Amino acid sequence: MFGWQKKAMATPVVDVHSHLIPAIDDGVRTLDKSIEILKGFSKIGIKKAITTPHIHPNYPNTKDDILSGLEVVNERIQAENIDLELAAAAEYFVDDVFMQRVKEKAEILHFGPNYVLVESSFLNKPIYFEACIFELQSRGYQPVLAHPERYRFLEGELEWLLQLKEMGILFQVTISSFVGFYGTIPQKIAISLYERRLIDFLGSDLHGFNQISVLEEGLRHKMVDKLCRSAELKNKSLL
Ligand SMILES: [Fe+2]
């Protein structure tokens, strides 16, 4: 490549975390907004988005809510000929309701072969988090912790995250965390996880179109760029 040629921006190719089903959680409110974001994704080189509506005490979505919403968005994707595949899973909030669901062998929305995206409370570490991870694993699922860098109760310490890694949990870090979108502590943790080679997935965690520019900024961060070009990142395997 000639020195004057600008290197094309790398992306994870498959995004694994977003809130793009209209009006079912704290993500996009309308179909038009969802389509605007998906066009933005396609423009920056994302080929597939696995959108992950919250299943959370504040947003008690069911599989039907998510899949029927997905169908509506997919109809518009086809009608507008957008070059992007949209699929759906969920972002499960780990609480006693979810724990019960896992124990009862209820259906869990997953992506790829067996990946289940989970999140914890941001403020308090749930005492049974590890037990829930273990239950998921014994059902043959591979838990993926959403935005490990953003849990405030960590107070910048990696210890809990390292323990979870030992248990076999995978980490999905938010791309814009690398450029400080969520503050300096999440940025530092994202960088530490990168340096320790503990990042398995990158995700946008997009909730609205206004986050597209910071997503692009994140994609230009040298660590994100390196990850997107490396075989370590599992996103591409989901294409
Ligand atoms: Fe999320």
Side-chain angles (χ1 to χ4, degrees), residues 17-19 25-26 52-54 91 117 119 122 146-147 150 172 205-207:
H17 187 165
S18 63
H19 299 270
D25 61 7
D26 58 346
T52 48
H54 286 289
E91 179 178 15
L117 190 68
E119 68 169 341
F122 278 82
H147 35 65
R150 281 164 46 198
Q172 174 267 306
D205 200 4
L206 231 77
H207 284 69

Side-chain angles (χ1 to χ4, degrees), residues 7 14 22-23 71 82 96-97 102 109 153 169 176 178 183 186-187 206 221 227 239:
K7 195 164 73 168
V14 181
E71 214 178 298
I82 303 168
D96 48 349
V97 175
V102 178
L109 288 167
F153 62 79
I169 198 165
S176 53
F178 281 90
Q187 183 180 28
L206 231 77
H221 189 280
L227 265 177
L239 200 60

Side-chain angles (χ1 to χ4, degrees), residues 48-136:
K48 179 176 176 179
I50 298 160
T51 195
T52 48
H54 286 289
I55 297 186
H56 181 283
N58 297 342
Y59 314 104
N61 288 308
T62 63
K63 179 186 171 191
D64 282 354
D65 297 330
I66 293 172
L67 296 187
S68 58
L70 174 69
E71 214 178 298
V72 173
V73 185
N74 266 329
E75 276 168 19
R76 266 288 285 283
I77 289 177
Q78 277 191 348
E80 298 214 17
N81 239 333
I82 303 168
D83 184 20
L84 181 135
E85 184 188 342
L86 183 69
E91 179 178 15
Y92 286 100
F93 184 81
V94 174
D95 61 2
D96 48 349
V97 175
F98 181 59
M99 183 66 160
Q100 199 54 30
R101 187 185 289 219
V102 178
K103 277 189 171 166
E104 283 169 357
K105 307 215 178 330
E107 191 180 356
I108 305 291
L109 288 167
H110 66 278
F111 61 97
N114 58 352
Y115 302 126
V116 177
L117 190 68
V118 295
E119 68 169 341
S120 151
S121 153
F122 278 82
L123 299 178
N124 307 296
K125 189 181 85 159
I127 40 173
Y128 40 77
F129 193 87
E130 287 86 342
C132 190
I133 295 307
F134 179 75
E135 289 287 339
L136 274 171

Side-chain angles (χ1 to χ4, degrees), residues 154-167:
L154 295 177
E155 294 177 337
E157 296 299 322
L158 287 186
E159 201 186 320
W160 185 61
L161 298 180
L162 298 177
Q163 283 167 12
L164 292 180
K165 260 285 159 176
E166 291 273 298
M167 287 184 72

